[in-house]
Amino acid sequence: MTAVTTTTPTRVRPARRGFPFGRAVAWTVMGLIVLITLLPFYWILRTALSTNAGLSADPTNPLPVDLTTSGFERALGLQSAEEAIAQGGAGGGLDFWRYLLNSVLVSTLITGCQIFFSAMAAYAFSRLRWRGRDAVFGLFLAGMMVPAIFTLLPNFVLIKQLHLVDTLLGIALPTMFMTPFAVFFLRQFFMNIPKEVEEAALLDGAGKVKIFFRVVLPMASTPIVTLGVLTYITSWNDYFWPLMVSYSDSSRVLTVALAIFRAQTPATGVDWSGLMAATLIAALPMLVLFACFARRIVSSIGFTGIK
Amino acid sequence: MTIASSSPPSRLPAGGATEAHSTPRTRRTEAGGNGGDGRLAAVFIAPALLGFVVFLLWPTLRGVYLSFTRFNLLTPAEWVGLDNYVRMVNDPIFWDSLWVTVEYVVINIGVQTVAALVIAVLLQRLTQSAVLRGIVLTPYLMSNVVAGLVWLWILDTQLGIGNEIISAVGVDRIPFLADETWAIPTIALINVWRHVGYTALLLFAGLQAIPNDMYEAARVDGASEWRMFWRITMPLLRPVLAVVLIMTVIGSFQVFDTVAVTTAGGPANATNVLQYYIYGSAFGRFQFGYASAMSVALLVVLSAITILQYRLTRAGRTDLG
C-alpha cells in the first residue's frame, strides 16, 4: 500500500483567479478526508506491533508500545498455546496459511472463470448474430435486479444437495460462471470495437473464434483487468456466502477465519494485538494487488457505474 | 425497467480507454458474414447461461416456492400455503428488524451520499490527482469484516483511541457498539467509511462527463463555485446520482458482515438487521421456509423502493446534450 499512500497531494493546478480562501478550506476538508481514510490503517499497524499489556498501560501512545512481532506470531499460529495465552491471546491455533491459500484458490477460480465465461457471453451478445439474442440478454439484465440475499438460501440448499458443502468448489460455484453485471460490463465494451477491425480479420481468413481470442480479448484488456481486479476484491472480501458454506478448516477462507479468530479471543481483555495483526495479514494481499493496478482501476472505474 | 438501461458513464473515461480505439463506434450491428452465428453463439453463451439458470433463475423461483413451505433441510419441504407469511406479519421481531434495517439504511445512505458528493466534487474541482483517488478508494479494498474489527478496536470503550480522544476532550466515554441507541448509527458510519470512496469515484466519473466549458462560461459570468455547484453540477449529475443511489440503497439493505463481527445483533436485538434475522432463522433455527418468506419480503421492499426511486428521480433521462 505504500505506493498508493506515501505521496501527499501536492499537485495543485495553477491557482485560478479569486477564491484562494475557498480553496484553502476545500484543501483542508480534503486533508481531513484523507486523514480519516488512512488513520485506521496506521492504527492497525501500530496495534499489531504492540503487546497487549502495553496497549492497556498506554492506550494513547501514537507509536507501537513495547515493539514486538508476537501479535503476528499469534495470528500466524507460530506460538505455542501457553505462550499465546500468557500474552493475552486465545489458546487455539489458527492455520493462517491454509486460509490464505483457500482465499487465493477461491478468488482466483471465481475471477478467472467468471471473467472468461462472461467475456464469451458478452461476445455472443454483442458481435454474433442469433435468434432470441435480445430476449436472452433482457433476461440477464433482469437478473441484475435480484438481490444477492434472495438467491443465497436456495443456492445453499442446492449446494447441499450437490454435496458440495464445505468445499472450495461449493464456495466458488454460484459466481463462477457469470454475473449479469460482468456480462453487461464487457458487452458494453465489445460493442464499441469498430466493425472494420473484425472485417479485416475475417478477410485474413480468421474465424470468429479466433477473432474473439486474437482481436476482441486483447483490445478489451483494460476493462478486463479492471473488472478482474474488482471481482477479485469482491470475492476475496465476501463473508456471508463462505460463512454459510464452509464448516471446517478445509474450506475456510480468510474473512471467515478472521471472524472466528475474533470470536475466540477472550471476552474480557480482547487480544487486540493479535486481532489487528490478523486483520493486517488478511487485508495485505488486496492492498498489494491494488497497489499494482491502482492507476488503471482508478481511471477506469467509471465503467462500473452500473454495478 | 432495469438499472442498466440508464447506464450513466457510457463514454470511456480518460485514460481508461484502450489506445487501440481510433474510431470508437456504438453501432449494434455484428461483424460481417451472412446468416446467423447460431451454433457458435450457443457454444459461447452456454457456460454463462448454465450459471445464470442454475444459480440465479432457478434459485429465485425456488426461493419463492420455499417461502410457501416448512423446510428444515433434513426432510422434504412441506407445502404450508401462506403460513410463513401470516407468521411473518405477526412476528414483532420481524417488524423490529425491518425497522432497524430502515434506520440503518437511512443513516448509511444519507451520510454516504453527501460525503461521496463532497469528495467527488473536491476531486474534480480541486485536483485531478489519481493518487488522491487511489487513497480515497483504499477502505473499499478491506472486507467488511476487517473494517468492522478495526473500528471495533478504535471505538472500544476502555482502550479505543476514539474513546481516549473523546475523554481527553472532557466528554464521557461512549459505548458505541454496546449501547442500543449508538449501535446502529455506529455500524452505519463504519460502512460509510468503507464504501464512500467507491461511491465517490462513481460520482466522479459522472462529473467527468460534464463539459468543462460550462464551468468556464459560468466563471466568465462571475458565478461562484457554490453557485456553479447548484446550477451546473447538481442538475447535470442527477441521472448518475439517481442510479448510484438506487445501487447503494439496494446494497445497504443487505447489511450483514459488519453486524456479524461487531455486535452479532445485540445489544437486545438493537442491531438485529433483517438479513441477520434471516440468517439466524435459517442456520440458527433451521426454519428455511420462514427465512425464505422474509427474503421474499425483502425482495418486494427492494423492488418497490427501486421503482419508486427510479420514477422520482427520473433516472432514465439525462439533461446532458
Side-chain angles (χ1 to χ4, degrees):
Chain A
M1 78 178 267
T2 43
V4 193
T5 54
T6 43
T7 336
T8 38
T10 46
R11 264 200 289 160
V12 190
R13 279 181 179 171
R16 299 194 185 92
R17 285 156 290 156
F19 316 115
F21 180 70
R23 286 185 75 78
V25 171
W27 271 115
T28 312
V29 173
M30 197 69 231
L32 213 62
I33 291 166
V34 169
L35 206 67
I36 296 171
T37 306
L38 294 184
L39 262 190
F41 291 97
Y42 173 71
W43 210 244
I44 300 177
L45 184 68
R46 173 261 181 196
T47 309
L49 290 172
S50 305
T51 61
N52 280 312
L55 287 176
S56 3
D58 193 1
T60 49
N61 194 335
L63 294 173
V65 198
D66 310 334
L67 189 71
T68 171
T69 54
S70 84
F72 287 95
E73 288 165 22
R74 233 164 18 257
L76 293 170
L78 299 175
Q79 278 180 349
S80 67
E82 302 81 52
E83 205 179 349
I85 290 169
Q87 297 190 357
L94 269 184
D95 199 352
F96 233 99
W97 298 110
R98 179 68 181 267
Y99 310 136
L100 183 74
L101 181 68
N102 283 346
S103 275
V104 169
L105 288 176
V106 165
S107 303
T108 309
L109 189 63
I110 291 177
T111 306
C113 293
Q114 187 197 109
I115 304 293
F116 183 66
F117 292 145
S118 296
M120 281 169 65
Y123 181 65
F125 280 131
S126 59
R127 313 209 65 102
L128 297 179
R129 220 189 299 179
W130 45 287
R131 275 205 325 181
R133 187 177 74 166
D134 293 345
V136 176
F137 185 65
L139 198 66
F140 269 60
L141 283 187
M144 288 219 287
M145 293 289 303
V146 180
I149 168 71
F150 193 69
T151 50
L152 285 180
L153 286 183
N155 267 337
F156 174 77
V157 176
L158 182 68
I159 291 294
K160 174 128 180 117
Q161 283 166 348
L162 292 171
H163 300 291
L164 287 173
V165 167
D166 209 19
T167 64
L168 294 178
L169 190 62
I171 297 178
L173 218 46
T175 43
M176 222 173 88
F177 295 98
M178 55 91 65
T179 60
F181 170 71
V183 175
F184 175 81
F185 178 94
L186 292 173
R187 173 180 171 269
Q188 201 74 344
F189 198 86
F190 291 170
M191 288 198 320
N192 285 336
I193 293 176
K195 200 179 163 189
E196 286 77 12
V197 175
E198 220 170 7
E199 276 167 354
L202 276 173
L203 282 179
D204 289 345
K208 296 235 164 130
V209 179
K210 200 166 181 182
I211 291 177
F212 173 68
F213 283 103
R214 293 288 172 80
V215 180
V216 172
L217 282 188
M219 283 182 82
S221 63
T222 297
I224 285 175
V225 167
T226 303
L227 184 63
V229 174
L230 287 177
T231 308
Y232 206 89
I233 291 171
T234 308
S235 47
W236 185 277
N237 287 339
D238 197 13
Y239 173 66
F240 196 19
W241 175 250
L243 177 70
M244 284 164 83
V245 175
S246 81
Y247 291 110
S248 71
D249 275 358
S250 64
S251 71
R252 192 159 289 157
V253 294
L254 265 178
T255 45
V256 178
L258 196 58
I260 290 174
F261 193 78
R262 139 94 177 122
Q264 280 178 351
T265 174
T268 51
V270 180
D271 175 15
W272 288 116
S273 162
L275 202 52
M276 287 302 112
T279 303
L280 192 62
I281 298 168
L284 207 59
M286 288 307 100
L287 289 169
V288 172
L289 181 75
F290 183 67
C292 298
F293 293 101
R295 200 162 275 275
R296 264 191 185 190
I297 292 170
V298 158
S299 46
S300 63
I301 206 146
F303 283 137
T304 66
I306 331 90
K307 187 158 192 172
Chain B
M1 72 117 247
T2 57
I3 292 178
S5 61
S6 56
S7 61
S10 56
R11 70 182 203 97
L12 310 177
T18 51
E19 298 70 16
H21 280 240
S22 45
T23 52
R25 284 187 190 186
T26 44
R27 257 202 276 168
R28 274 167 180 267
T29 45
E30 301 77 18
N34 26 8
D37 308 304
R39 205 167 296 171
L40 183 64
V43 174
F44 266 64
I45 204 91
L49 196 62
L50 178 82
F52 179 79
V53 171
V54 175
F55 293 105
L56 192 58
L57 186 62
W58 169 240
T60 303
L61 300 174
R62 198 176 192 192
V64 176
Y65 165 75
L66 286 177
S67 74
F68 295 104
T69 67
R70 185 176 298 129
F71 183 41
N72 62 5
L73 272 185
L74 302 172
T75 47
E78 176 198 345
W79 185 267
V80 292
L82 285 172
D83 277 11
N84 288 323
Y85 290 95
V86 172
R87 177 179 162 194
M88 186 171 81
V89 173
N90 294 315
D91 180 358
I93 303 177
F94 167 76
W95 291 108
D96 197 47
S97 69
L98 188 61
W99 172 244
V100 168
T101 311
V102 169
E103 195 188 333
Y104 166 85
V105 171
V106 169
I107 299 172
N108 178 264
I109 294 298
V111 176
Q112 174 168 295
T113 309
V114 173
L117 200 56
V118 169
I119 295 172
V121 170
L122 286 178
L123 282 178
Q124 192 214 12
R125 308 294 298 150
L126 220 49
T127 166
Q128 293 288 323
S129 161
V131 174
L132 214 51
R133 275 181 274 159
I135 290 176
V136 165
L137 194 63
T138 30
Y140 183 71
L141 309 174
M142 305 296 99
S143 61
N144 287 323
V145 176
V146 167
L149 287 176
V150 172
W151 285 98
L152 191 66
W153 164 227
I154 290 177
L155 300 175
D156 184 73
T157 320
Q158 296 309 317
L159 298 172
I161 185 69
N163 259 316
E164 290 291 342
I165 293 171
I166 288 175
S167 67
V169 180
V171 183
D172 279 345
R173 287 169 187 269
I174 301 170
F176 285 99
L177 289 155
D179 182 273
E180 287 181 37
T181 35
W182 284 99
I184 277 290
T186 305
I187 290 174
L189 292 181
I190 292 173
N191 283 336
V192 168
W193 178 77
R194 198 201 146 201
H195 291 282
V196 71
Y198 188 73
T199 312
L201 280 191
L202 295 181
L203 294 178
F204 175 80
L207 289 176
Q208 296 290 84
I210 300 174
N212 210 32
D213 13 320
M214 287 198 168
Y215 292 104
E216 298 298 335
R219 195 170 294 114
V220 169
D221 292 345
S224 64
E225 282 285 341
W226 185 248
R227 198 176 162 80
M228 286 193 278
F229 174 76
W230 287 108
R231 292 297 170 83
I232 301 173
T233 309
M234 278 308 271
L236 293 180
L237 191 65
R238 203 208 66 236
V240 177
L241 192 59
V243 173
V244 169
L245 250 168
I246 291 174
M247 272 159 48
T248 48
V249 167
I250 292 180
S252 71
F253 255 98
Q254 302 183 50
V255 54
F256 176 85
D257 310 353
T258 319
V259 171
V261 293
T262 55
T263 63
N269 277 347
T271 58
N272 190 16
V273 289
L274 197 50
Q275 182 141 324
Y276 199 76
Y277 189 42
I278 293 174
Y279 175 79
S281 301
F283 294 93
R285 297 178 286 283
F286 294 102
Q287 299 164 346
F288 277 78
Y290 187 47
S292 299
M294 288 192 285
S295 305
V296 172
L298 183 57
L299 182 65
V300 170
V301 170
L302 285 181
S303 310
I305 289 175
T306 310
I307 292 168
L308 196 70
Q309 268 188 321
Y310 195 83
R311 288 275 161 78
L312 287 179
T313 55
R314 295 170 294 141
R317 275 176 258 161
T318 171
D319 294 343
L320 193 67

